[in-house]
Amino acid sequence: MPTMPSLPNWSNGKSTQADAPKIPVPAARAIVDCAVYVDGVRLPGKYTHRAALAEVRSRDNAFVWVGMHAPDEGQMQDVAATFGLHELMVEDAVHAHERPKLERYDDVMFLVLRTVVYVPHESVATASEIVETGEIMVFVGPDFVVTVRHGDHSELASVRKSLEQNAERLAMGPFAVLHAITDHVVDSYLSVIQLVEQDVDSMEELVFNPRNTVAVEHIYLLKREIVELRRSVTPLGLPLLQLTQPAGGLVPKEIRRYFRDVRDHHTIVAERISEYDEVLSSLVDAALAKIAVQQNTDMRKISAWVAIAAVPTGVAGIYGMNFENMPELGYKYGYQSILFLIASVCVGLFFLFRRNNWL
């Protein structure tokens, strides 16, 4: 009898056979652009990252700029092996979700930037998201720049195009690219906070408009977005300060001067975000106070109507006791008199409460 081929054991929904090996994706799939620059001018042609580095090291005053988007671990390790990047930098570049920071590994600088973009919406009271964040990681060496982007809005094509039109600036080397990227990110912060300021102003108008009722949840949402914006922007202050200091000797003096301007813009952004955070905290308090006032007003109205309703209820309760010796029971116009008394007292209470703004 022929032997049947063994089948995998699918008990508990799992196969006991080894999983199929994962096919590695070439690093070129994650590379958006790779260019060689000599004296600030881009050389024509297309290069792989290895060929570009070899070309750079055969020339003077040249460097390579490799731009990558969301590489996986294998792709990043391939590029890291070519440029001699530390394994800790590779780990940060792959997994992302890092705070803005600046680190140095020998003669390589590693800068993490958080990018932000404003999410358009019709009304701040109905928006579910105000800002969206991403990341840009920049590796700067003596003759190379490697940028790794995470997020769809963190493009650098416009930065590269602008630099390529300014050969004098690009001839300053890799740190000129670092400055251009940092300046681009901080300028985007300025654009975002101008739009967020409009949302804060709109929320302030809604809260202090007596005809509008704003749910506190809407203010909390805006405050949450401001907190996310602050976490993306504020930590960048220390790396920018380090880039303006002469200690370390990697950043040229001329580039440090440009970084001072970027740091000034960042300080403006950080201060305005702190102001928005304080304003929203005040709006939360104001909205809660407004809700408390409204609840007190509602309770006064309810209490007033209860007091008015207590008059006929009390009279009906007295004459519903069914005692025989109740003088008013034998009076011919007793029923009409009691109704008139009840109506008079209720109308009097109504105007009394109305005069005291209870109704």
Side-chain angles (χ1 to χ4, degrees):
M1 184 176 182
T3 304
M4 297 294 293
S6 60
L7 297 176
N9 181 11
W10 293 101
S11 60
N12 299 326
K14 297 181 180 180
S15 173
T16 56
Q17 292 183 349
D19 295 335
K22 185 178 179 180
I23 300 176
V25 180
R29 295 287 296 274
I31 295 177
V32 179
D33 198 356
C34 178
V36 174
Y37 299 93
V38 180
D39 294 325
V41 179
R42 178 170 180 164
L43 295 184
K46 294 184 178 180
Y47 294 86
T48 65
H49 56 285
R50 294 189 183 88
L53 185 61
E55 180 69 23
V56 164
R57 292 182 174 172
S58 66
R59 295 174 177 265
D60 295 328
N61 197 22
F63 69 93
V64 55
W65 180 0
V66 179
M68 307 181 70
H69 181 257
D72 60 27
E73 186 173 358
Q75 294 168 336
M76 195 63 215
Q77 285 180 349
D78 185 5
V79 174
T82 302
F83 293 96
L85 304 180
H86 196 277
E87 61 181 358
L88 294 178
M89 292 192 285
V90 174
E91 182 179 355
D92 290 342
V94 172
H95 299 290
H97 303 295
E98 294 289 328
R99 288 169 57 89
K101 63 180 181 179
L102 177 67
E103 295 179 349
R104 178 177 175 179
Y105 295 82
D106 298 327
D107 58 350
V108 177
M109 271 193 174
F110 175 50
L111 176 64
V112 177
L113 300 166
R114 295 294 298 272
T115 59
V116 295
V117 65
Y118 183 80
V119 180
H121 47 270
E122 294 183 359
S123 171
V124 66
T126 58
S128 60
E129 188 177 22
I130 306 295
V131 295
E132 182 181 343
T133 62
E135 289 186 38
I136 296 178
M137 302 175 183
V138 187
F139 306 85
V140 183
D143 52 7
F144 67 86
V145 178
V146 177
T147 55
V148 178
R149 300 186 295 108
H150 292 272
D152 296 332
H153 64 273
S154 55
E155 59 86 22
L156 294 176
S158 59
V159 179
R160 188 187 288 265
K161 182 178 180 180
S162 176
L163 276 175
E164 289 176 354
Q165 294 174 353
N166 190 347
E168 183 179 355
R169 177 73 60 82
L170 200 55
M172 294 181 181
F175 283 97
V177 176
L178 177 64
H179 163 262
I181 294 172
T182 307
D183 187 54
H184 169 73
V185 171
V186 174
D187 284 346
S188 70
Y189 294 164
L190 288 169
S191 302
V192 169
I193 64 170
Q194 289 175 356
L195 296 172
V196 171
E197 183 177 9
Q198 298 176 7
D199 288 335
V200 174
D201 292 341
S202 299
M203 183 63 71
E204 192 172 11
E205 292 177 3
L206 290 174
V207 170
F208 290 107
N209 189 336
R211 294 183 182 145
N212 290 331
T213 301
V214 179
V216 181
E217 291 79 4
H218 297 152
I219 308 177
Y220 282 143
L221 169 65
L222 185 54
K223 187 173 177 62
R224 184 196 68 188
E225 297 296 298
I226 292 296
V227 170
E228 183 176 1
L229 188 59
R230 184 181 63 190
R231 289 177 177 172
S232 300
V233 173
T234 303
L236 183 59
L238 181 58
L240 289 177
L241 177 61
Q242 294 172 340
L243 288 170
T244 60
Q245 301 298 320
L250 289 182
V251 184
K253 182 178 180 180
E254 186 65 23
I255 301 297
R256 292 202 302 269
R257 292 173 179 171
Y258 287 109
F259 273 117
R260 292 192 188 99
D261 181 66
V262 176
R263 184 166 175 259
D264 290 340
H265 291 171
H266 176 269
T267 301
I268 294 173
V269 174
E271 289 176 351
R272 293 180 67 177
I273 291 175
S274 298
E275 292 174 2
Y276 299 157
D277 194 20
E278 293 176 1
V279 169
L280 289 176
S281 296
S282 301
L283 290 182
V284 170
D285 295 337
L288 293 176
K290 188 176 180 180
I291 292 173
V293 170
Q294 185 62 42
Q295 290 176 341
N296 290 337
T297 301
D298 294 341
M299 286 301 300
R300 285 192 302 178
K301 290 182 179 180
I302 294 171
S303 300
W305 286 113
V306 168
I308 293 173
V311 175
T313 302
V315 174
I318 292 174
Y319 287 96
M321 292 186 291
N322 296 324
F323 289 110
E324 293 183 0
N325 297 322
M326 296 181 70
E328 296 83 359
L329 295 179
Y331 181 52
K332 181 178 179 180
Y333 299 104
Y335 178 69
Q336 292 85 347
S337 300
I338 290 300
L339 289 181
F340 177 76
L341 176 64
I342 292 174
S344 299
V345 174
C346 289
V347 171
L349 288 175
F350 175 81
F351 283 105
L352 176 64
F353 291 136
R354 190 69 174 267
R355 187 180 65 181
N356 294 329
N357 296 322
W358 281 47
L359 289 175

PDB file of all heavy atoms in Angstrom, residues 255-278:
ATOM      1  N   ILE A 255      26.609  77.528   9.233  1.00  0.00           N
ATOM      2  CA  ILE A 255      25.344  76.807   9.373  1.00  0.00           C
ATOM      3  C   ILE A 255      24.751  77.048  10.760  1.00  0.00           C
ATOM      4  O   ILE A 255      23.530  77.136  10.906  1.00  0.00           O
ATOM      5  CB  ILE A 255      25.542  75.306   9.113  1.00  0.00           C
ATOM      6  CG1 ILE A 255      26.086  75.078   7.704  1.00  0.00           C
ATOM      7  CG2 ILE A 255      24.239  74.542   9.298  1.00  0.00           C
ATOM      8  CD1 ILE A 255      25.168  75.532   6.604  1.00  0.00           C
ATOM      9  N   ARG A 256      25.601  77.159  11.770  1.00  0.00           N
ATOM     10  CA  ARG A 256      25.102  77.427  13.119  1.00  0.00           C
ATOM     11  C   ARG A 256      24.341  78.747  13.170  1.00  0.00           C
ATOM     12  O   ARG A 256      23.369  78.891  13.905  1.00  0.00           O
ATOM     13  CB  ARG A 256      26.258  77.443  14.131  1.00  0.00           C
ATOM     14  CG  ARG A 256      26.910  76.094  14.353  1.00  0.00           C
ATOM     15  CD  ARG A 256      27.635  76.046  15.696  1.00  0.00           C
ATOM     16  NE  ARG A 256      28.648  77.085  15.798  1.00  0.00           N
ATOM     17  CZ  ARG A 256      29.928  76.950  15.453  1.00  0.00           C
ATOM     18  NH1 ARG A 256      30.337  75.795  14.938  1.00  0.00           N
ATOM     19  NH2 ARG A 256      30.797  77.934  15.589  1.00  0.00           N
ATOM     20  N   ARG A 257      24.783  79.721  12.398  1.00  0.00           N
ATOM     21  CA  ARG A 257      24.078  81.005  12.362  1.00  0.00           C
ATOM     22  C   ARG A 257      22.670  80.832  11.809  1.00  0.00           C
ATOM     23  O   ARG A 257      21.722  81.446  12.298  1.00  0.00           O
ATOM     24  CB  ARG A 257      24.874  81.998  11.504  1.00  0.00           C
ATOM     25  CG  ARG A 257      26.208  82.407  12.112  1.00  0.00           C
ATOM     26  CD  ARG A 257      27.012  83.251  11.146  1.00  0.00           C
ATOM     27  NE  ARG A 257      28.291  83.669  11.735  1.00  0.00           N
ATOM     28  CZ  ARG A 257      29.259  84.271  11.060  1.00  0.00           C
ATOM     29  NH1 ARG A 257      29.096  84.513   9.752  1.00  0.00           N
ATOM     30  NH2 ARG A 257      30.385  84.622  11.659  1.00  0.00           N
ATOM     31  N   TYR A 258      22.538  80.003  10.796  1.00  0.00           N
ATOM     32  CA  TYR A 258      21.203  79.752  10.248  1.00  0.00           C
ATOM     33  C   TYR A 258      20.324  79.021  11.264  1.00  0.00           C
ATOM     34  O   TYR A 258      19.108  79.255  11.332  1.00  0.00           O
ATOM     35  CB  TYR A 258      21.307  78.928   8.961  1.00  0.00           C
ATOM     36  CG  TYR A 258      21.832  79.704   7.780  1.00  0.00           C
ATOM     37  CD1 TYR A 258      23.109  79.463   7.270  1.00  0.00           C
ATOM     38  CD2 TYR A 258      21.057  80.677   7.158  1.00  0.00           C
ATOM     39  CE1 TYR A 258      23.587  80.179   6.171  1.00  0.00           C
ATOM     40  CE2 TYR A 258      21.528  81.393   6.066  1.00  0.00           C
ATOM     41  CZ  TYR A 258      22.798  81.139   5.581  1.00  0.00           C
ATOM     42  OH  TYR A 258      23.266  81.851   4.508  1.00  0.00           O
ATOM     43  N   PHE A 259      20.913  78.123  12.027  1.00  0.00           N
ATOM     44  CA  PHE A 259      20.139  77.395  13.032  1.00  0.00           C
ATOM     45  C   PHE A 259      19.631  78.323  14.132  1.00  0.00           C
ATOM     46  O   PHE A 259      18.597  78.035  14.746  1.00  0.00           O
ATOM     47  CB  PHE A 259      20.981  76.268  13.642  1.00  0.00           C
ATOM     48  CG  PHE A 259      20.917  74.982  12.875  1.00  0.00           C
ATOM     49  CD1 PHE A 259      22.053  74.450  12.278  1.00  0.00           C
ATOM     50  CD2 PHE A 259      19.718  74.299  12.744  1.00  0.00           C
ATOM     51  CE1 PHE A 259      21.995  73.263  11.563  1.00  0.00           C
ATOM     52  CE2 PHE A 259      19.646  73.112  12.035  1.00  0.00           C
ATOM     53  CZ  PHE A 259      20.784  72.589  11.438  1.00  0.00           C
ATOM     54  N   ARG A 260      20.329  79.418  14.397  1.00  0.00           N
ATOM     55  CA  ARG A 260      19.840  80.373  15.397  1.00  0.00           C
ATOM     56  C   ARG A 260      18.504  80.967  14.963  1.00  0.00           C
ATOM     57  O   ARG A 260      17.595  81.169  15.777  1.00  0.00           O
ATOM     58  CB  ARG A 260      20.873  81.472  15.626  1.00  0.00           C
ATOM     59  CG  ARG A 260      22.156  81.004  16.299  1.00  0.00           C
ATOM     60  CD  ARG A 260      23.002  82.178  16.762  1.00  0.00           C
ATOM     61  NE  ARG A 260      24.305  81.734  17.243  1.00  0.00           N
ATOM     62  CZ  ARG A 260      25.422  81.765  16.535  1.00  0.00           C
ATOM     63  NH1 ARG A 260      25.400  82.242  15.293  1.00  0.00           N
ATOM     64  NH2 ARG A 260      26.568  81.326  17.039  1.00  0.00           N
ATOM     65  N   ASP A 261      18.377  81.248  13.681  1.00  0.00           N
ATOM     66  CA  ASP A 261      17.113  81.775  13.163  1.00  0.00           C
ATOM     67  C   ASP A 261      16.003  80.738  13.286  1.00  0.00           C
ATOM     68  O   ASP A 261      14.866  81.071  13.658  1.00  0.00           O
ATOM     69  CB  ASP A 261      17.293  82.189  11.699  1.00  0.00           C
ATOM     70  CG  ASP A 261      16.030  82.769  11.105  1.00  0.00           C
ATOM     71  OD1 ASP A 261      15.605  83.850  11.552  1.00  0.00           O
ATOM     72  OD2 ASP A 261      15.451  82.127  10.200  1.00  0.00           O
ATOM     73  N   VAL A 262      16.316  79.488  12.995  1.00  0.00           N
ATOM     74  CA  VAL A 262      15.326  78.420  13.140  1.00  0.00           C
ATOM     75  C   VAL A 262      14.903  78.301  14.605  1.00  0.00           C
ATOM     76  O   VAL A 262      13.711  78.128  14.910  1.00  0.00           O
ATOM     77  CB  VAL A 262      15.902  77.080  12.640  1.00  0.00           C
ATOM     78  CG1 VAL A 262      14.911  75.945  12.879  1.00  0.00           C
ATOM     79  CG2 VAL A 262      16.251  77.165  11.164  1.00  0.00           C
ATOM     80  N   ARG A 263      15.858  78.416  15.505  1.00  0.00           N
ATOM     81  CA  ARG A 263      15.552  78.309  16.933  1.00  0.00           C
ATOM     82  C   ARG A 263      14.630  79.452  17.383  1.00  0.00           C
ATOM     83  O   ARG A 263      13.731  79.242  18.203  1.00  0.00           O
ATOM     84  CB  ARG A 263      16.850  78.316  17.744  1.00  0.00           C
ATOM     85  CG  ARG A 263      16.639  78.116  19.234  1.00  0.00           C
ATOM     86  CD  ARG A 263      17.938  77.799  19.936  1.00  0.00           C
ATOM     87  NE  ARG A 263      17.744  77.734  21.370  1.00  0.00           N
ATOM     88  CZ  ARG A 263      18.052  78.707  22.222  1.00  0.00           C
ATOM     89  NH1 ARG A 263      18.612  79.822  21.772  1.00  0.00           N
ATOM     90  NH2 ARG A 263      17.826  78.577  23.502  1.00  0.00           N
ATOM     91  N   ASP A 264      14.842  80.648  16.851  1.00  0.00           N
ATOM     92  CA  ASP A 264      13.966  81.772  17.192  1.00  0.00           C
ATOM     93  C   ASP A 264      12.526  81.496  16.752  1.00  0.00           C
ATOM     94  O   ASP A 264      11.570  81.743  17.502  1.00  0.00           O
ATOM     95  CB  ASP A 264      14.475  83.059  16.531  1.00  0.00           C
ATOM     96  CG  ASP A 264      15.772  83.553  17.151  1.00  0.00           C
ATOM     97  OD1 ASP A 264      16.071  83.150  18.291  1.00  0.00           O
ATOM     98  OD2 ASP A 264      16.501  84.323  16.485  1.00  0.00           O
ATOM     99  N   HIS A 265      12.375  80.962  15.548  1.00  0.00           N
ATOM    100  CA  HIS A 265      11.027  80.630  15.071  1.00  0.00           C
ATOM    101  C   HIS A 265      10.402  79.535  15.926  1.00  0.00           C
ATOM    102  O   HIS A 265       9.199  79.587  16.235  1.00  0.00           O
ATOM    103  CB  HIS A 265      11.083  80.170  13.610  1.00  0.00           C
ATOM    104  CG  HIS A 265      11.434  81.270  12.669  1.00  0.00           C
ATOM    105  ND1 HIS A 265      11.719  81.056  11.336  1.00  0.00           N
ATOM    106  CD2 HIS A 265      11.565  82.606  12.855  1.00  0.00           C
ATOM    107  CE1 HIS A 265      11.990  82.198  10.747  1.00  0.00           C
ATOM    108  NE2 HIS A 265      11.916  83.158  11.651  1.00  0.00           N
ATOM    109  N   HIS A 266      11.207  78.564  16.302  1.00  0.00           N
ATOM    110  CA  HIS A 266      10.690  77.485  17.151  1.00  0.00           C
ATOM    111  C   HIS A 266      10.246  78.023  18.507  1.00  0.00           C
ATOM    112  O   HIS A 266       9.221  77.577  19.055  1.00  0.00           O
ATOM    113  CB  HIS A 266      11.774  76.413  17.336  1.00  0.00           C
ATOM    114  CG  HIS A 266      11.355  75.314  18.270  1.00  0.00           C
ATOM    115  ND1 HIS A 266      11.612  75.358  19.625  1.00  0.00           N
ATOM    116  CD2 HIS A 266      10.697  74.153  18.044  1.00  0.00           C
ATOM    117  CE1 HIS A 266      11.135  74.281  20.192  1.00  0.00           C
ATOM    118  NE2 HIS A 266      10.581  73.527  19.256  1.00  0.00           N
ATOM    119  N   THR A 267      10.977  78.965  19.058  1.00  0.00           N
ATOM    120  CA  THR A 267      10.597  79.551  20.346  1.00  0.00           C
ATOM    121  C   THR A 267       9.241  80.242  20.247  1.00  0.00           C
ATOM    122  O   THR A 267       8.397  80.132  21.157  1.00  0.00           O
ATOM    123  CB  THR A 267      11.669  80.552  20.804  1.00  0.00           C
ATOM    124  OG1 THR A 267      12.925  79.878  20.921  1.00  0.00           O
ATOM    125  CG2 THR A 267      11.304  81.157  22.157  1.00  0.00           C
ATOM    126  N   ILE A 268       9.007  80.938  19.142  1.00  0.00           N
ATOM    127  CA  ILE A 268       7.719  81.601  18.940  1.00  0.00           C
ATOM    128  C   ILE A 268       6.589  80.567  18.910  1.00  0.00           C
ATOM    129  O   ILE A 268       5.532  80.748  19.542  1.00  0.00           O
ATOM    130  CB  ILE A 268       7.744  82.414  17.624  1.00  0.00           C
ATOM    131  CG1 ILE A 268       8.742  83.568  17.747  1.00  0.00           C
ATOM    132  CG2 ILE A 268       6.355  82.934  17.288  1.00  0.00           C
ATOM    133  CD1 ILE A 268       8.950  84.319  16.446  1.00  0.00           C
ATOM    134  N   VAL A 269       6.814  79.479  18.193  1.00  0.00           N
ATOM    135  CA  VAL A 269       5.798  78.431  18.090  1.00  0.00           C
ATOM    136  C   VAL A 269       5.518  77.820  19.462  1.00  0.00           C
ATOM    137  O   VAL A 269       4.357  77.648  19.856  1.00  0.00           O
ATOM    138  CB  VAL A 269       6.247  77.347  17.101  1.00  0.00           C
ATOM    139  CG1 VAL A 269       5.262  76.186  17.098  1.00  0.00           C
ATOM    140  CG2 VAL A 269       6.377  77.921  15.702  1.00  0.00           C
ATOM    141  N   ALA A 270       6.570  77.488  20.204  1.00  0.00           N
ATOM    142  CA  ALA A 270       6.399  76.855  21.513  1.00  0.00           C
ATOM    143  C   ALA A 270       5.641  77.773  22.471  1.00  0.00           C
ATOM    144  O   ALA A 270       4.779  77.314  23.241  1.00  0.00           O
ATOM    145  CB  ALA A 270       7.765  76.490  22.094  1.00  0.00           C
ATOM    146  N   GLU A 271       5.942  79.063  22.440  1.00  0.00           N
ATOM    147  CA  GLU A 271       5.251  80.006  23.327  1.00  0.00           C
ATOM    148  C   GLU A 271       3.768  80.120  22.972  1.00  0.00           C
ATOM    149  O   GLU A 271       2.915  80.153  23.857  1.00  0.00           O
ATOM    150  CB  GLU A 271       5.919  81.376  23.245  1.00  0.00           C
ATOM    151  CG  GLU A 271       7.305  81.418  23.894  1.00  0.00           C
ATOM    152  CD  GLU A 271       7.979  82.765  23.721  1.00  0.00           C
ATOM    153  OE1 GLU A 271       7.440  83.602  22.954  1.00  0.00           O
ATOM    154  OE2 GLU A 271       9.034  82.997  24.337  1.00  0.00           O
ATOM    155  N   ARG A 272       3.464  80.147  21.697  1.00  0.00           N
ATOM    156  CA  ARG A 272       2.066  80.268  21.296  1.00  0.00           C
ATOM    157  C   ARG A 272       1.285  79.002  21.618  1.00  0.00           C
ATOM    158  O   ARG A 272       0.105  79.071  21.991  1.00  0.00           O
ATOM    159  CB  ARG A 272       1.987  80.594  19.807  1.00  0.00           C
ATOM    160  CG  ARG A 272       2.537  81.979  19.488  1.00  0.00           C
ATOM    161  CD  ARG A 272       2.471  82.321  18.028  1.00  0.00           C
ATOM    162  NE  ARG A 272       1.110  82.464  17.548  1.00  0.00           N
ATOM    163  CZ  ARG A 272       0.794  82.814  16.298  1.00  0.00           C
ATOM    164  NH1 ARG A 272       1.767  83.033  15.424  1.00  0.00           N
ATOM    165  NH2 ARG A 272      -0.453  82.920  15.927  1.00  0.00           N
ATOM    166  N   ILE A 273       1.918  77.853  21.503  1.00  0.00           N
ATOM    167  CA  ILE A 273       1.239  76.608  21.884  1.00  0.00           C
ATOM    168  C   ILE A 273       0.932  76.612  23.379  1.00  0.00           C
ATOM    169  O   ILE A 273      -0.154  76.195  23.805  1.00  0.00           O
ATOM    170  CB  ILE A 273       2.101  75.397  21.498  1.00  0.00           C
ATOM    171  CG1 ILE A 273       2.163  75.249  19.976  1.00  0.00           C
ATOM    172  CG2 ILE A 273       1.554  74.113  22.116  1.00  0.00           C
ATOM    173  CD1 ILE A 273       3.087  74.151  19.495  1.00  0.00           C
ATOM    174  N   SER A 274       1.863  77.091  24.185  1.00  0.00           N
ATOM    175  CA  SER A 274       1.619  77.198  25.633  1.00  0.00           C
ATOM    176  C   SER A 274       0.457  78.149  25.914  1.00  0.00           C
ATOM    177  O   SER A 274      -0.370  77.890  26.798  1.00  0.00           O
ATOM    178  CB  SER A 274       2.885  77.679  26.346  1.00  0.00           C
ATOM    179  OG  SER A 274       3.941  76.750  26.186  1.00  0.00           O
ATOM    180  N   GLU A 275       0.381  79.236  25.156  1.00  0.00           N
ATOM    181  CA  GLU A 275      -0.734  80.168  25.328  1.00  0.00           C
ATOM    182  C   GLU A 275      -2.062  79.505  24.982  1.00  0.00           C
ATOM    183  O   GLU A 275      -3.054  79.670  25.706  1.00  0.00           O
ATOM    184  CB  GLU A 275      -0.520  81.395  24.441  1.00  0.00           C
ATOM    185  CG  GLU A 275       0.652  82.278  24.872  1.00  0.00           C
ATOM    186  CD  GLU A 275       0.911  83.406  23.886  1.00  0.00           C
ATOM    187  OE1 GLU A 275       0.145  83.513  22.900  1.00  0.00           O
ATOM    188  OE2 GLU A 275       1.868  84.174  24.103  1.00  0.00           O
ATOM    189  N   TYR A 276      -2.090  78.751  23.889  1.00  0.00           N
ATOM    190  CA  TYR A 276      -3.332  78.060  23.512  1.00  0.00           C
ATOM    191  C   TYR A 276      -3.743  77.055  24.587  1.00  0.00           C
ATOM    192  O   TYR A 276      -4.934  76.909  24.886  1.00  0.00           O
ATOM    193  CB  TYR A 276      -3.147  77.337  22.175  1.00  0.00           C
ATOM    194  CG  TYR A 276      -2.809  78.232  21.013  1.00  0.00           C
ATOM    195  CD1 TYR A 276      -2.158  77.729  19.891  1.00  0.00           C
ATOM    196  CD2 TYR A 276      -3.114  79.589  21.032  1.00  0.00           C
ATOM    197  CE1 TYR A 276      -1.842  78.552  18.814  1.00  0.00           C
ATOM    198  CE2 TYR A 276      -2.796  80.409  19.963  1.00  0.00           C
ATOM    199  CZ  TYR A 276      -2.151  79.894  18.869  1.00  0.00           C
ATOM    200  OH  TYR A 276      -1.837  80.698  17.813  1.00  0.00           O
ATOM    201  N   ASP A 277      -2.769  76.377  25.148  1.00  0.00           N
ATOM    202  CA  ASP A 277      -3.065  75.403  26.194  1.00  0.00           C
ATOM    203  C   ASP A 277      -3.692  76.083  27.405  1.00  0.00           C
ATOM    204  O   ASP A 277      -4.670  75.586  27.990  1.00  0.00           O
ATOM    205  CB  ASP A 277      -1.775  74.679  26.595  1.00  0.00           C
ATOM    206  CG  ASP A 277      -2.047  73.436  27.426  1.00  0.00           C
ATOM    207  OD1 ASP A 277      -3.183  72.926  27.385  1.00  0.00           O
ATOM    208  OD2 ASP A 277      -1.135  72.977  28.125  1.00  0.00           O
ATOM    209  N   GLU A 278      -3.156  77.236  27.780  1.00  0.00           N
ATOM    210  CA  GLU A 278      -3.710  77.973  28.914  1.00  0.00           C
ATOM    211  C   GLU A 278      -5.115  78.499  28.609  1.00  0.00           C
ATOM    212  O   GLU A 278      -6.006  78.451  29.460  1.00  0.00           O
ATOM    213  CB  GLU A 278      -2.781  79.133  29.276  1.00  0.00           C
ATOM    214  CG  GLU A 278      -1.425  78.690  29.834  1.00  0.00           C
ATOM    215  CD  GLU A 278      -0.494  79.867  30.082  1.00  0.00           C
ATOM    216  OE1 GLU A 278      -0.926  81.016  29.837  1.00  0.00           O
ATOM    217  OE2 GLU A 278       0.652  79.641  30.519  1.00  0.00           O
TER     218      GLU A 278
END
